[in-house]
Amino acid sequence: MKIDLFSIGPVTVHGYGLMIGIGVICCIIMGMKRAKKYGLSDDAVIDIAILGLIAGFLGAKLLFVIVEWKSFIADPLSLLGSQGFVVYGGITAGVLAAIIYCKRKKLIFLEYFDLCAASIALAQAFGRIGCFMAGCCYGRETDLPIGVIFPESSLAPTGVKVLPTQLFSSAGNFCIMFLLLWHYKHRKKVGDSGFFYMLLYGVGRFFMEFLRNDDRGKVGVLSTSQFISLLIVAAAILLFCWKGRKPVEKEVNVNTGE
């Protein structure tokens, strides 16, 4: 729960940014190692990661501006800093960038989506730890022993115990990562693991929203993220039913020949 960790001269290392950086690095390393193991291009994984990072940053910021449009109009510069993102905007923009890249390189997007889904969940898990350190995405007030009190320098309310929803989300994303690592080895059709990620994250995010207490925008009685979660879950179910996907060929470990 500390925004600024330390400074080296004029450079200050922020907890949120550090966790995002760790998550991205772990995501890329995992993706490259698994790409080599399952006979896909590790260079493509790096390219997709870089494009996804850039597009994801812009998409997450854009959706945040849309959600906080009134605040943006009142003070545009206040929302264009290093804080203030909506994860779904980043995921959507990152996926679109990956689809365009795969199409241009004549690669099958769903194969890389399946492979990288676990890595995406891993990056999100570290990112939520960064949220906890910054105090954003905080939960409702509580008297439970698991409640935390954030310091005055954080983005969360001070002086009251709130649910550490950031850590709940982080733990959930780690669980999703392990489930996807297992699922990838047992998938029947190309796209199964990617769609399973959409389903798991969409359901988890929908229910997590009930515990959060930060301003996230509204679509009727739902938060913006809950509304998007329902769309993501519906899309995942429809994609699972898509009969045009090809069966998964038995992966060959390029290092052992098995």
Side-chain angles (χ1 to χ4, degrees):
M1 294 188 291
K2 190 174 183 181
I3 295 180
D4 300 333
L5 296 180
F6 57 87
S7 298
I8 303 176
V11 178
T12 300
V13 177
H14 304 287
Y16 180 80
L18 178 62
M19 288 298 106
I20 292 291
I22 292 174
V24 169
I25 292 172
C26 290
C27 172
I28 293 174
I29 292 175
M30 175 189 282
M32 291 177 62
K33 286 184 175 295
R34 297 182 69 231
K36 290 181 179 179
K37 178 178 180 180
Y38 293 110
L40 296 178
S41 171
D42 55 336
D43 288 336
V45 169
I46 295 176
D47 291 342
I48 289 172
I50 293 173
L51 289 173
L53 182 63
I54 297 172
F57 177 88
L58 296 176
K61 177 59 72 174
L62 176 61
L63 187 53
F64 179 76
V65 169
I66 293 173
V67 171
E68 298 292 338
W69 182 250
K70 292 183 179 179
S71 299
F72 176 73
I73 292 298
D75 186 6
L77 295 180
S78 66
L79 300 185
L80 296 179
S82 60
Q83 297 170 346
F85 300 93
V86 177
V87 171
Y88 272 131
I91 294 175
T92 302
V95 168
L96 288 176
I99 291 173
I100 294 171
Y101 171 85
C102 288
K103 186 173 183 179
R104 291 179 63 88
K105 295 293 183 179
K106 295 180 170 54
L107 300 173
I108 300 175
F109 165 73
L110 289 181
E111 289 185 349
Y112 286 88
F113 190 25
D114 282 346
L115 180 82
C116 295
S119 299
I120 295 171
L122 176 63
Q124 289 178 297
F126 279 105
R128 286 305 184 188
I129 295 175
C131 290
F132 180 73
M133 298 179 74
C136 61
C137 308
Y138 53 88
R140 298 183 179 278
E141 292 187 24
T142 182
D143 293 326
L144 295 173
I146 58 174
V148 296
I149 299 177
F150 285 88
E152 292 185 1
S153 60
S154 72
L155 300 176
T158 59
V160 295
K161 290 174 66 176
V162 297
L163 292 171
T165 46
Q166 311 95 328
L167 299 184
F168 298 164
S169 296
S170 179
N173 281 310
F174 277 121
C175 289
I176 290 174
M177 178 200 70
F178 286 116
L179 280 171
L180 290 173
L181 289 174
W182 170 83
H183 185 270
Y184 185 83
K185 299 176 182 179
H186 300 86
R187 62 198 176 115
K188 302 299 182 182
K189 291 185 177 181
V190 174
D192 278 356
S193 289
F195 304 153
F196 191 39
Y197 161 76
M198 293 169 59
L199 183 65
L200 290 173
Y201 184 79
V203 171
R205 182 61 186 271
F206 181 85
F207 287 105
M208 186 62 65
E209 288 289 297
F210 288 113
L211 302 180
R212 286 177 55 171
N213 201 36
D214 54 320
D215 186 13
R216 304 175 308 290
K218 289 283 187 181
V219 178
V221 297
L222 302 175
S223 70
T224 302
S225 292
Q226 282 181 315
F227 178 74
I228 297 175
S229 292
L230 292 178
L231 296 179
I232 294 294
V233 170
I237 294 172
L238 290 174
L239 288 169
F240 268 123
C241 297
W242 175 28
K243 297 181 179 180
R245 294 180 293 132
K246 69 175 185 178
V248 172
E249 297 178 2
K250 182 177 175 59
E251 291 93 349
V252 176
N253 188 318
V254 296
N255 295 321
T256 65
E258 297 179 356

